Amino acid sequence: MCEVLTHIMKEQIREQILYKRTKHDPTIKKPKDEKIVAFIESLPEFKKAQNILIYISIHGEVDLEELFNKHKEDKNFIVPRISRSDNSLDLYKITSMEDLTKGTFDVPEPKEDLEQVSPENLDMVIVPGVAFAKNGHRVGYGGGFYDRLLKKTTCPKIGVAYEFQIVENIDGEDHDEMVDYLITEKEITTIQNP
């Protein structure tokens, strides 16, 4: 029963925040993206990281293209692609936005002929989400792709979102993976994972 309630609550949060995100004024969004990128750059973990998993923003997500453009010469940026065989995420190194093509669900994905990277070789994962709780739990789009991927990594996991995507609490389910840091345009929060 508890899991059913958690699922219903996540669906309500997902619906409300996705609506807000699609209505986000681009002139207000861009300065927020710049602040979030600056916070990411300030993390000692980012400075040390060589292989960084990023996402390509859709549906009004925090845009990480500026981060990629500023650091693509000195860091390796890895982007996920949904595997056709087992619904997992395959990871590919990109050196340019030209390395992307329209993929599953119309999400830009890396082309399949690029260098593949193992999740174990990641130094940092920047995690998208529809909503994040102050306890480090997240609500994604419901496919569980990132939860399955994050289980295979040991590196810092950085959740990025706008302040309006932060909720007080989300009850986690057994398969949920938490983030280590939560970054909004206002602050960096370190999550005390149990």
Side-chain angles (χ1 to χ4, degrees):
M1 182 64 186
C2 187
E3 234 173 69
V4 172
L5 286 174
T6 299
H7 185 73
I8 291 168
M9 190 180 90
K10 279 185 172 182
E11 281 302 319
Q12 289 171 338
I13 291 169
R14 192 176 283 125
E15 196 177 302
Q16 290 166 2
I17 291 182
L18 280 174
Y19 177 78
K20 269 189 190 174
R21 226 172 47 189
T22 58
K23 300 294 177 200
H24 206 182
D25 181 338
T27 59
I28 294 169
K29 181 183 182 307
K30 187 167 173 33
K32 289 180 182 180
D33 289 344
E34 289 166 358
K35 282 184 181 169
I36 291 167
V37 164
F39 277 139
I40 294 170
E41 292 171 316
S42 75
L43 290 173
E45 290 86 346
F46 176 80
K47 291 174 181 163
K48 285 189 301 201
Q50 193 56 46
N51 295 325
I52 302 170
L53 182 73
I54 60 171
Y55 61 87
I56 305 302
S57 70
I58 55 166
H59 309 308
E61 289 172 329
V62 173
D63 192 340
L64 300 175
E65 193 168 345
E66 181 193 347
L67 184 75
F68 171 78
N69 287 332
K70 283 170 74 177
H71 297 279
K72 64 185 176 183
E73 301 303 325
D74 58 311
K75 295 191 182 290
N76 297 324
F77 285 99
I78 322 297
V79 174
R81 177 187 178 97
I82 296 175
S83 167
R84 306 282 180 261
S85 60
D86 64 357
N87 252 3
S88 65
L89 293 176
D90 292 332
L91 311 179
Y92 295 87
K93 179 182 164 187
I94 67 165
T95 55
S96 149
M97 288 295 161
E98 301 299 308
D99 288 340
L100 302 172
T101 184
K102 193 177 276 196
T104 312
F105 310 120
D106 284 340
V107 175
E109 292 183 334
K111 296 171 182 169
E112 285 183 278
D113 60 352
L114 299 171
E115 179 186 337
Q116 206 163 346
V117 177
S118 162
E120 295 83 18
N121 292 333
L122 296 173
D123 301 315
M124 172 179 275
V125 178
I126 301 178
V127 186
V130 175
F132 290 89
K134 294 175 180 176
N135 63 3
H137 284 289
R138 63 183 274 281
V139 174
Y141 290 102
F145 292 104
Y146 269 86
D147 289 316
R148 290 191 292 276
L149 172 69
L150 294 176
K151 280 189 186 341
K152 301 175 190 170
T153 66
T154 55
C155 62
K157 301 160 187 68
I158 318 297
V160 293
Y162 302 111
E163 201 65 29
F164 65 77
Q165 292 175 259
I166 308 303
V167 297
E168 197 57 45
N169 188 37
I170 298 168
D171 289 329
E173 297 174 79
D174 290 344
H175 61 270
D176 289 346
E177 287 289 304
M178 294 164 66
V179 295
D180 302 302
Y181 294 93
L182 190 48
I183 298 181
T184 69
E185 70 276 17
K186 296 258 168 59
E187 62 187 353
I188 300 174
T189 304
T190 304
I191 307 296
Q192 302 300 322
N193 285 331

